[in-house]
Structure formats: C-alpha cells, structure tokens
Amino acid sequence: MALFVGLDIGGTKLMVAAADREGDILRRVRTDTTTSLETDLANLNSMIAEVSAGEQIQGMGAAIGGPLDWEQGIVSPLHQPAWRDVPLKAIMEARWNCPFSVDVDTNVAALGEYRWGGGSLKRFLYLTLSTGMGGGFLVDGKIYRGQGGAHPEVGHQSIPFRCSNPPAVQCECGAPDCLEALVSGNGIRRIYGKPAENLDAEEWEEVAYNLGQGLRNMAALYTPDVIRIGGGVAVGGGERFIGRAREIMESHLRLVPVPQVGLSHLGYDTALRGAIAITLSQ
Ligand SMILES: [Zn+2]
C-alpha cells in the first residue's frame, strides 16, 4: 500500500502522521518540541519510523513556521531559535529516500482546510490565530505567493484598534499597531496580563473588534469567497468570538462582497492534514 507522511513541526509540539493515498490518517504520534535541533530531528525520525512501520514512504510533507525557502526546503522558524538555515528537505530526502516538500505552516494549513475542511471555494483565505497570527491565501487551490516567493504577512497590517491598555500594544516584528499584537495569544498576554482562555466578556469584545477590523482590511484587499479561522485563540473564543468579529467586519465593509467567515473545520489538525495534502499533490 502507498504510504504518505505528514509532519507538523510547531514551536510547542511535533506531530507526525502516516496516511494512505486518499489522505486518510492510518497512524499518528506527537511529542513536545525541545530547544535542541538535534533532539527535535532525532524525535522526528523516530516518529516517522513509528508511523511508517517499516513500509516504504512514497512522499513526505511538512508544515513549519517561517521564514523558509520552500523551493530549496531550507527552514529557519522564527519561534524555534535552534533551527536556523536547516536544509530539512536535503536531510529528510537522504534519510528516507522519498520526495519531501515543506511550506509555511499557514500555507499548509490553508491547503488542509481547503482539501478536507469543505472550504474549496475559488478564493480561500485561511487564518491562524494562536501564539502569533498568520494566514495563507489560495486561488483555485494554489498558494498565492508574493515577490520573490515572499509569504504575505496578514498579521502585520495596522488597524484602527480599541484597547484598554494601549501602551502594551507591541508587535514582535517591531512595527507599531500590528493586528498580531492585538489578537494573537502573545499579544493578548501582553495587553491583558493573562492567557486568552481567561479573558472576560468585555475583553473578548475588544479582541473581536480588532480582529473584525483586520478581517475588513483582508476582505477589502483580497475579496475572498471565504475566510476560515483556526488556531488556539480562535477555537478558544469559539463561534461567538468569530461571529462578533464577522459583524464588525461587515459593518465596516463597503464596495466589495462580504465573504463567508467561520471557524476552521479541522481544528488542531489543519497543518498536519495540509502536510499530507502537499505530499499527495506533488
Ligand atoms: Zn508586526
């Protein structure tokens, strides 16, 4: 049987799954990410060995934080300081003797949600709202890429925001007033002094307002058919939070059609399922 492997290499956890040609997951394992590149690579290799169970792997795909060179497969995920200029494609192809593809986690998640989350409309924007914030934009199922292959950074747009503690709005990228600094897990922690799951109703309302302003900009610039939102903050805030953000977007949007906006259908598996999608489509 043809066997394909997907890797979700995140800042807090590593997930590996084996799937069949239809992308149905056969076996999966996970472990925590460490602060050592050698340990992480050794863990990934033993997890791949475990899920592949001795069968030849036909193809492997991976999701990881940017920045990266997706053509060369060289990765330097911002939130994993031990991983700098790692030739992941060369390492994995030599070790496992199969084609290997890697892309920015939000692009990969967008592909997973598009293929298996019922989001297969022409212009599809996927957003991840977790520790940080990012997105992937697909046109006819293909990743939209910017100049020189650059990945668009939707979290680093500025917006007119509401905030009960404005001096605490500081983006990790160094620019002022970024959306990510207001609605991501790290941003919320900085502003409200607690994790998203502990926000009260009034604080959620602020975060929803700010996300809605970001959605409005993205809807006006990309005119997508659908915006699907995943990641821990979005899933934690739930339908009510996303619904409120959608209302703010709609009430500020003019001249362009209003996109469908909803929570991810694949929950925490979007990047892992997407990693399988990219290897099946290569
Ligand atoms: Zn920023």
Side-chain angles (χ1 to χ4, degrees), residues 172-235:
E172 290 169 45
C173 79
D177 305 340
C178 284
L179 179 61
E180 173 174 302
L182 293 148
V183 302
S184 68
N186 279 354
I188 287 171
R189 217 175 263 276
R190 216 173 277 123
I191 292 167
Y192 304 102
K194 54 187 164 185
E197 59 261 34
N198 295 342
L199 294 183
D200 64 30
E202 217 165 289
E203 291 160 341
W204 270 120
E205 174 65 22
E206 269 189 5
V207 180
Y209 177 86
N210 295 333
L211 176 61
Q213 288 287 0
L215 294 178
R216 175 264 179 128
N217 286 346
M218 290 182 259
L221 293 170
Y222 285 117
T223 57
D225 296 279
V226 55
I227 301 177
R228 202 58 79 63
I229 311 173
V233 174
V235 174

Side-chain angles (χ1 to χ4, degrees), residues 116-191:
W116 286 298
S120 47
L121 287 167
K122 198 169 170 59
R123 290 146 296 246
F124 179 80
L125 177 60
Y126 180 81
L127 304 176
T128 300
L129 212 54
S130 55
T131 314
M133 179 189 187
F137 186 51
L138 308 181
V139 180
D140 291 329
K142 299 264 183 320
I143 296 167
Y144 170 85
R145 297 187 197 275
Q147 180 190 142
H151 178 68
E153 291 289 353
V154 296
H156 302 275
Q157 56 171 308
S158 64
I159 56 152
F161 62 85
R162 289 183 184 162
C163 181
S164 51
N165 184 15
V169 181
Q170 285 162 17
C171 191
E172 290 169 45
C173 79
D177 305 340
C178 284
L179 179 61
E180 173 174 302
L182 293 148
V183 302
S184 68
N186 279 354
I188 287 171
R189 217 175 263 276
R190 216 173 277 123
I191 292 167

Side-chain angles (χ1 to χ4, degrees), residues 81-101:
W83 288 62
R84 284 295 168 270
D85 300 318
V86 178
L88 191 61
K89 180 179 169 71
I91 291 171
M92 288 298 177
E93 289 187 343
R95 171 69 180 79
W96 295 99
N97 193 30
C98 68
F100 179 89
S101 309

